[in-house]
Amino acid sequence: MKAVVMAGGEGTRLRPMTASMPKPLLPVANRPIMEHVLRLLKRHGLTETVVTVQFLASLVRNYFGDGEELGMELSYANEEKPLGTAGSVKNAEEALRDDSFLVISGDALTDFDLTELIDYHKRQGGLVTVCLTRVHNPLEFGITIVNDDGQVERFLEKPTWGQVFSDTVNTGIYVMEPEVFDYVDPDVPVDWSGDVFPQLMKEGKPIYGFVAEGYWEDVGTHESYVKAQADVLEGKVEVDIDGFEISPGVWVAEGAEVHPDAVLRGPLYIGDYAKIEAGAELREHSVVGSNVVVKSGAFLHRAVVDQNVYIGPQANLRGCVVGKNTDIMRAARIEDGAVIGDECLIGEESIVQGNVRVYPFKTVEAGAFVNTSVIWESRGQAHLFGARGVSGIVNVEITPELAVRLAGAYATTLKKGSTVTTARDHSRGARALKRAMISALQTSAIDVRDLENVPLPVARQQTARGSAGGIMIRTTPGVPDNVDIMFFDERGADLSQAAQRKLDRVFARQEYRRAFPGEIGDLRFPSSVYDSYTGAMLRSVDTTGVEESGLKVVVDASNGSAGLVLPSLLGRLGVDSLTINPGLDESRPTETADERRSGLVRLGEIVASARAAFGIRFDPVGDRLSLVDEQGRIVEDDRALLVMLDLIAAERRTGKVALPVTTTRIAEQVAAYHGTQVEWTTTSPDDLTRVGRDDTTVFGGDGRGGYIIPEFSSVFDGSAAFVRLIGLVARAQLTLSQIDARIPRAHVLKRDLATPWAVKGLVMRTVVEAAGDRSVDTTDGIRIVEPDGRWVMVLPDPAEAVTHLWAEGPDDASAQSLLDEWSAVVDSAGR
């Protein structure tokens, strides 16, 4: 049997290490990752191998040649352009047509028993056998479910936490029959798991999954690269280590000079012809490459150092990666997580802070302090984006420097000459950060329309009027020291998951586009923004009967930017209104849950005394609203959603409403009673937005004060919801308490459980297994429906080490019992 080693990837997440070297050539224990892969193939008799190459292909060819030094026969298939995982193998079809073949990645470290995998494939007689393994964090991999016969039932590439239904992932190792090439188009990008396997499953072709025992690490990030080194030294993976074990865990290669007075605390590795002077200290999980010089007094701990590096006296390296041919001068300090590229100079007594990336051929001057704040790992997430965009503490996590880099990355994803709309809330932090981002956008050849301080829905609406995208900076709701940097697409909606990943990749590479002097973007301040916004709204939303109704309402602007739109809106609406808290308060850009509750209580008192029809309270940026009925009683957000749904469905009598799967199923009863239907979405606002754009959608909401009025906008808009509600109440001639009274009571309980990141995937697999024969819905997370109609939903949080649970029953006791039962399941898996 022949093997195919895929070695064409760029490894962009590993830059600057891969800026001048293909990922398969990155050394692990002083040997390229791909060499470990080839030696594994040889151990299992797969000596005839085709290597697919594309990025820096000549370096791979030059290093391995024809494979003679490894006792193998290597040939190469070169891609002129990236063809995907299947397309690259299709490119080598001529050499693989005669027999079954094995496909393996050239940049994943493993010691799987390939012979056992091949035997399993032959016994099953399938077209494809996928090698699977269990991992703690399945987000960056394709997760897979197999049935009791070993056949693959479902694939999902790079899921969000809400889509995780297992911790069993595709390792990218396959055994295949040549007939599979009939399903791969030539010379176009095609992926196995994204394109070919779904087609095979659709046609009923046999695809089997083999869960392998052993070690597997996809070396795709700096963290996994350092971890792979440590695992080799700890003996967790069976690979060949070149050298002699002079003491337990201390490996020294041929020709290395280690002074007797040097301190070595294994496990560690010292490459051939390296020189370790007296007084140097090398500690656990350090890897020193060939021809490295470590001077007296230098200290290394968990440091991975490539070949031909000079480490000066008193230098201090902790948890970092250093590229080849780099000089680190006296008393320089490189902190945990930093990466230094090839052929750099790190000057005397300079400090490179944690997580800094220094690209190849750069000089850090003597005494310099190089500092960038990369804060997301501390939150346990691998990406910039959380539930509210890019969030963090002002001037600690979200600095002007970070804002500039984010804006530069965002601009790089757009065409030169595009227009971006910017906006902010009324906080000083948001104002300062927005100015920094505007500069970065302009110097990246982007024109800017700056709205200054406006409500969030206005920013979205104005972005959709001809901009390629938008940026809104606001204070994090309930957290006055934090800000959220929100990025919009050309429709004013939050960026999709794919667009977020694209921005994330550009930001991680730190490869920003810069404008030539004549290309620097323009900055404009549009006028009549509020008149345009309210005019468009009142033309779109039905206000029939409002003026004749004589309704009186109380509007609380919460001292936020929502109040800026009210004069234009209320004047045109023709309703008797009392506005409270209309002025901006820079010292209070947001409010806590207790402050908001107190505000609603005060609003209720005013509504009752003024004998108003109802009262509404905007959040400070006008995104959401809360309700108080005519008696001054607070209508809780989840209940307010049902009230709005009932009114709209009763009036429209057709269409669909978009609701997240965490919403009470009473909503389904209300919608069906009036002839409408519910389309269940994930808890992500962009999924609600997607459904909101459908022509048949008449309403959407999230149960937390966010409402979509599709005739005006597909995103949350408090003002549009307010206008729609006034029209509905005026025409229905019912009070809010009367509408509320006719809707059955819901009994939905929620609980949050602490869940370490390392076991989130295991938790979700355990929940699926515990569900047994019950009905399971994987729209978002896992929702299990009991035979009696009760349901529970388990959803991992995308940004925190938490798992959320919801349960609904016919009464609180029943819902509580169900919640307790499944909390125990989650707890048992998380221990």
Side-chain angles (χ1 to χ4, degrees):
M1 180 180 291
K2 293 181 181 179
V4 182
V5 175
M6 294 185 292
E10 293 189 35
T12 53
R13 290 180 298 164
L14 280 163
R15 292 189 180 181
M17 295 157 56
T18 53
S20 55
M21 178 187 296
K23 183 178 170 186
L25 291 187
L26 290 178
V28 173
N30 212 35
R31 273 190 177 148
I33 304 172
M34 185 172 146
E35 184 172 339
H36 291 297
V37 172
L38 292 173
R39 287 174 180 268
L40 175 68
L41 293 173
K42 183 183 177 183
R43 286 203 299 271
H44 291 277
L46 298 159
T47 57
E48 196 173 347
T49 298
V50 182
V51 181
T52 65
V53 290
Q54 193 261 327
F55 177 68
L56 299 177
S58 61
L59 297 182
V60 178
R61 290 173 181 269
N62 292 343
Y63 187 92
F64 292 105
D66 61 5
E68 182 180 1
E69 290 186 12
L70 294 172
M72 302 181 71
E73 296 179 35
L74 301 184
S75 58
Y76 297 88
N78 190 62
E79 302 173 45
E80 296 300 324
K81 59 181 180 180
L83 294 174
T85 55
S88 64
V89 178
K90 173 76 172 182
N91 202 36
E93 179 180 4
E94 285 302 314
L96 304 170
R97 265 293 180 189
D98 299 333
D99 196 4
S100 308
F101 58 91
L102 181 140
V103 178
I104 191 169
S105 172
D107 50 29
L109 189 65
T110 183
D111 59 5
F112 287 160
D113 189 335
L114 301 182
T115 299
E116 188 178 1
L117 169 65
I118 293 168
D119 291 344
Y120 177 86
H121 174 79
K122 292 178 177 177
R123 287 197 308 273
Q124 296 297 99
L127 186 61
V128 176
T129 297
V130 181
C131 186
L132 309 172
T133 193
R134 316 275 196 209
V135 298
H136 293 314
N137 183 352
L139 290 189
E140 292 302 320
F141 310 104
I143 57 177
T144 308
I145 282 186
V146 296
N147 62 20
D148 293 339
D149 298 327
Q151 278 197 285
V152 173
E153 289 187 334
R154 186 177 178 191
F155 283 107
L156 181 62
E157 277 296 294
K158 295 189 176 179
T160 63
W161 271 118
Q163 297 169 313
V164 169
F165 48 78
S166 176
D167 62 351
T168 306
V169 304
N170 178 1
T171 65
I173 303 173
Y174 313 111
V175 182
M176 299 178 163
E177 299 301 316
E179 290 79 8
V180 77
F181 286 126
D182 297 339
Y183 295 85
V184 184
D185 294 330
D187 299 321
V188 295
V190 184
D191 283 309
W192 292 120
S193 53
D195 302 312
V196 179
F197 295 164
Q199 183 62 32
L200 293 176
M201 294 170 67
K202 184 178 180 181
E203 295 186 13
K205 301 295 183 182
I207 301 179
Y208 288 91
F210 174 80
V211 182
E213 299 294 331
Y215 181 93
W216 179 79
E217 181 71 46
D218 176 44
V219 186
T221 65
H222 298 102
E223 292 78 12
S224 61
Y225 178 67
V226 173
K227 179 180 181 294
Q229 312 278 352
D231 290 343
V232 168
L233 296 173
E234 293 277 5
K236 293 181 180 179
V237 53
E238 185 182 341
V239 297
D240 298 328
I241 299 180
D242 184 20
F244 308 93
E245 194 172 10
I246 62 172
S247 63
V250 177
W251 292 85
V252 179
E254 178 184 356
E257 296 181 34
V258 181
H259 195 281
D261 292 333
V263 178
L264 306 180
R265 297 186 181 180
L268 59 84
Y269 180 86
I270 298 171
D272 52 305
Y273 301 103
K275 182 177 182 181
I276 315 298
E277 291 191 351
E281 183 174 354
L282 276 63
R283 299 195 59 172
E284 298 86 356
H285 302 156
S286 290
V287 175
V288 173
S290 304
N291 303 304
V292 170
V293 175
V294 182
K295 302 295 286 185
S296 178
F299 177 88
L300 283 72
H301 184 206
R302 295 191 307 109
V304 179
V305 181
D306 208 340
Q307 60 187 357
N308 300 315
V309 170
Y310 172 88
I311 301 174
Q314 289 81 52
N316 192 305
L317 282 65
R318 298 173 183 267
C320 59
V321 178
V322 179
K324 61 181 179 292
N325 303 319
T326 286
D327 294 330
I328 300 171
M329 310 308 289
R330 181 186 62 81
R333 187 180 185 91
I334 305 176
E335 297 287 6
D336 193 28
V339 180
I340 311 299
D342 297 344
E343 301 192 35
C344 289
L345 173 64
I346 310 299
E348 292 186 358
E349 299 185 352
S350 59
I351 299 175
V352 180
Q353 282 287 82
N355 298 310
V356 168
R357 306 290 186 251
V358 180
Y359 271 65
F361 314 110
K362 301 294 188 295
T363 296
V364 175
E365 296 182 354
F369 184 84
V370 183
N371 176 28
T372 55
S373 297
V374 181
I375 53 135
W376 309 107
E377 289 81 354
S378 64
R379 295 191 174 190
Q381 68 187 65
H383 303 291
L384 286 168
F385 286 86
R388 298 177 300 271
V390 181
S391 306
I393 303 171
V394 178
N395 271 344
V396 176
E397 297 169 311
I398 305 294
T399 63
E401 296 88 349
L402 177 68
V404 166
R405 292 165 54 209
L406 276 170
Y410 183 52
T412 303
T413 68
L414 305 174
K415 293 180 179 179
K416 282 187 176 183
S418 298
T419 297
V420 167
T421 296
T422 59
R424 61 172 176 88
D425 70 5
H426 56 288
S427 66
R428 293 181 179 180
R431 179 169 55 198
L433 291 169
K434 179 176 65 67
R435 288 171 176 169
M437 299 189 83
I438 287 174
S439 297
L441 291 168
Q442 289 180 276
T443 53
S444 299
I446 297 294
D447 293 332
V448 178
R449 294 175 68 244
D450 184 26
L451 305 177
E452 301 186 278
N453 174 24
V454 296
L456 178 55
V458 175
R460 293 185 185 277
Q461 188 244 17
Q462 289 292 311
T463 296
R465 297 169 72 91
S467 296
I471 298 174
M472 171 82 182
I473 307 178
R474 67 166 184 183
T475 305
T476 302
V479 190
D481 292 338
N482 280 37
V483 293
D484 302 330
I485 301 177
M486 308 174 71
F487 293 90
F488 305 148
D489 63 16
E490 71 280 1
R491 294 182 293 256
D494 293 338
L495 290 185
S496 66
Q497 291 286 333
Q500 288 182 17
R501 288 193 183 110
K502 183 178 180 181
L503 174 54
D504 213 338
R505 286 195 299 270
V506 175
F507 179 85
R509 293 199 301 263
Q510 299 186 31
E511 294 178 350
Y512 313 125
R513 181 184 69 219
R514 291 290 176 249
F516 296 112
E519 296 177 324
I520 291 176
D522 190 19
L523 174 61
R524 291 176 287 121
F525 300 91
S527 60
S528 305
V529 168
Y530 298 122
D531 288 342
S532 169
Y533 171 71
T534 56
M537 182 190 302
L538 294 176
R539 286 193 297 273
S540 303
V541 180
D542 187 0
T543 58
T544 306
V546 171
E547 288 195 38
E548 298 80 12
S549 68
L551 286 177
K552 183 178 183 179
V553 296
V554 182
V555 181
D556 187 348
S558 308
N559 295 118
S561 54
L564 297 173
V565 77
L566 290 177
S568 174
L569 178 61
L570 294 174
R572 297 187 186 190
L573 193 57
V575 66
D576 184 8
S577 62
L578 170 62
T579 302
I580 61 175
N581 301 315
L584 293 176
D585 185 351
E586 284 190 354
S587 66
R588 295 179 60 249
T590 185
E591 55 189 3
T592 65
D594 288 342
E595 289 170 340
R596 184 159 190 78
R597 192 77 184 179
S598 298
L600 284 169
V601 170
R602 290 194 299 273
L603 174 63
E605 294 169 351
I606 296 171
V607 168
S609 64
R611 298 186 178 182
F614 60 87
I616 66 160
R617 180 179 171 88
F618 288 104
D619 73 343
V621 293
D623 195 35
R624 299 169 182 273
L625 57 80
S626 298
L627 296 182
V628 171
D629 69 15
E630 78 284 355
Q631 299 174 33
R633 295 180 301 194
I634 298 171
V635 184
E636 302 297 341
D637 287 343
D638 55 348
R639 196 71 191 167
L641 175 65
L642 296 178
V643 169
M644 288 283 286
L645 169 61
D646 184 80
L647 282 165
I648 290 174
E651 184 170 271
R652 296 297 291 269
R653 297 285 176 177
T654 187
K656 63 186 179 185
V657 295
L659 301 174
V661 287
T662 51
T663 307
T664 172
R665 266 43 193 177
I666 298 294
E668 214 162 32
Q669 299 175 27
V670 172
Y673 180 80
H674 294 299
T676 60
Q677 64 181 38
V678 174
E679 178 163 341
W680 299 109
T681 75
T682 71
T683 53
S684 171
D686 66 286
D687 203 19
L688 275 170
T689 296
R690 174 186 58 80
V691 180
R693 289 195 293 266
D694 194 301
D695 291 339
T696 62
T697 302
V698 297
F699 175 62
D702 67 352
R704 294 182 292 113
Y707 300 101
I708 295 173
I709 309 301
E711 55 264 42
F712 175 64
S713 171
S714 63
V715 297
F716 294 152
D717 191 322
S719 295
F722 167 50
V723 173
R724 186 78 168 101
L725 178 61
I726 288 179
L728 290 164
V729 172
R731 292 187 294 276
Q733 297 186 344
L734 294 170
T735 65
L736 291 192
S737 61
Q738 289 173 329
I739 299 162
D740 188 19
R742 73 186 188 186
I743 302 171
R745 295 290 111 182
H747 301 277
V748 179
L749 301 180
K750 184 174 184 288
R751 182 178 298 170
D752 296 337
L753 297 177
T755 308
W757 286 96
V759 299
K760 279 193 173 184
L762 173 62
V763 164
M764 301 310 284
R765 176 163 62 91
T766 303
V767 169
V768 169
E769 292 170 350
D773 295 331
R774 299 176 182 88
S775 174
V776 173
D777 175 12
T778 58
T779 300
D780 198 11
I782 299 167
R783 192 175 74 92
I784 300 108
V785 182
E786 300 285 347
D788 59 4
R790 295 180 303 154
W791 60 268
V792 65
M793 179 169 163
V794 183
L795 177 67
D797 192 283
E800 299 178 10
V802 170
T803 298
H804 306 291
L805 288 86
W806 291 262
E808 181 172 26
D811 50 54
D812 281 347
S814 176
Q816 186 68 52
S817 172
L818 192 63
L819 194 61
D820 291 341
E821 176 188 345
W822 286 94
S823 294
V825 173
V826 173
D827 272 337
S828 66
R831 289 196 188 102

